[in-house]
Amino acid sequence: MKNLFEQAIEVILKGDADKAAELARRGLDQGLDALEFMDKGFIPAINNVGDLFEAGRVFLPGLIYSAKAMEKATEILNAAISGGNAIVAGKVVIGTIEGDVHDIGKTIVVSLFNANGFDVLDLGRDVPIGRFIEEAEKFGADIIGSSTLLTTTMAGQKKLEQELKSAGLKEKYKTIVGGAPVTQRWADRIGADAYAQDAGDGVKKAKQLLQKKSQP
Ligand code: B1M
């Protein structure tokens, strides 16, 4: 009998959304931590599909089916992550950069921020750079977080830093960048305040940035 993590690899590869949803619910029913199930089951599963896609062993329709199954499982697990913490730790505006529709990882990050007491405005995916700034101004954000999965759209994160600087707002907001091709080196190069490797790291970095912000 395959364990739940192995079953996640199987259902995501098959692109079976109903089975993925059922498996996510079963894991939760069995007391598995939602984030652990994501990190050890569903995320390696979708990354496996990405590798097969890159190697030409899975084609675009297969990738789309797998993504739909992943979205279903993520929806269920994310709902279990969002604990609804009453203390507001800080305000975060977050979205996926313009030209990029990948939002599974960004949505996990949003859930974990919510669960850790942050007030989060999720702008969704394919978000124009100017909108990050407009919405941060309206929302009274402390942090602007951007996610990107395509090497071609990483430039949007650099543009965000440049636009914040030219609007004289760079000191007002702390920025966090994330997404599979993003690295600490990239964050340093473009002048972002922090790079986060995963959702947990995102929360950790956000807390550190807010501490720095509140110190004179
Ligand atoms: Co696309 N895709 N895809 N895809 N896809 C990748 C990214 C790719 C690497 C696959 C591959 O070839 N190996 C490749 C990009 C290559 C490149 O740029 N060099 C690729 C491609 C090529 C494409 C298309 C161009 C395919 C095509 O049409 N020919 C197309 C692009 C469309 C567009 O955006 N304009 C496309 C489309 C899609 C789907 C729509 C089918 C689907 C996305 C569905 C969705 O998101 N709703 C999809 C998927 C699922 C993937 C892979 C397989 C998986 C992505 C994912 O969800 N990972 C991906 C392969 C891969 O990344 N290995 C791939 C799981 C997720 C939890 O991880 O998003 O990295 P991730 O998030 C992590 C961390 O990065 C971090 O925390 C998260 C949780 O741990 N993090 C942050 C992310 N954002 C953060 C922000 C933070 C902090 C942490 O603070 C602000």
Side-chain angles (χ1 to χ4, degrees):
M1 176 70 182
K2 290 190 171 136
N3 70 30
L4 292 172
F5 301 145
E6 289 163 344
Q7 289 178 50
I9 307 253
E10 207 170 276
V11 294
I12 295 300
L13 183 59
K14 278 191 185 149
D16 190 329
D18 290 340
K19 286 224 168 76
E22 191 215 300
L23 183 66
R25 282 194 205 98
R26 189 146 39 91
L28 293 176
D29 289 347
Q30 290 181 17
L32 200 57
D33 175 70
L35 206 58
E36 187 186 0
F37 202 5
M38 201 90 83
D39 283 345
K40 295 189 182 157
F42 287 103
I43 294 179
I46 192 71
N47 285 340
N48 171 48
V49 175
D51 291 346
L52 293 171
F53 175 71
E54 202 175 350
R57 290 171 57 201
V58 163
F59 299 101
L60 191 56
L63 178 66
I64 292 170
Y65 276 115
S66 293
K68 294 269 170 236
M70 178 72 183
E71 282 164 13
K72 208 74 209 155
T74 310
E75 199 182 298
I76 291 160
L77 295 178
N78 275 343
I81 291 174
S82 309
N85 195 326
I87 305 154
V88 176
K91 293 181 110 181
V92 183
V93 162
I94 188 166
T96 301
I97 295 287
E98 183 169 21
D100 188 348
V101 303
H102 296 86
D103 66 353
I104 293 170
K106 182 267 302 159
T107 310
I108 297 171
V109 174
V110 168
S111 297
L112 208 66
F113 270 116
N114 276 324
N116 278 273
F118 286 86
D119 193 2
V120 186
L121 177 64
D122 183 359
L123 303 177
R125 53 196 187 178
D126 193 13
V127 181
I129 302 309
R131 220 185 129 218
F132 279 93
I133 301 173
E134 278 162 36
E135 298 291 343
E137 286 285 280
K138 281 194 252 165
F139 190 56
D142 301 296
I143 294 173
I144 301 178
S146 65
S147 176
T148 195
L149 270 280
L150 298 171
T151 43
T152 47
T153 49
M154 285 171 74
Q157 293 180 324
K158 185 175 174 189
K159 194 172 165 212
L160 176 60
E161 298 298 329
Q162 287 166 339
E163 291 200 4
L164 281 170
K165 268 193 207 117
S166 54
L169 295 169
K170 181 59 195 151
E171 296 308 314
K172 187 170 175 185
Y173 301 109
K174 296 291 180 193
T175 53
I176 304 184
V177 290
V182 178
T183 58
Q184 181 64 56
R185 198 157 163 242
W186 172 247
D188 293 343
R189 211 174 113 193
I190 66 173
D193 295 295
Y195 156 69
Q197 191 182 346
D198 55 30
D201 193 31
V203 168
K204 196 175 107 192
K205 298 280 169 64
K207 287 182 176 166
Q208 287 169 355
L209 288 175
L210 289 179
Q211 234 167 10
K212 275 192 207 156
K213 210 179 168 198
S214 65
Q215 278 163 8

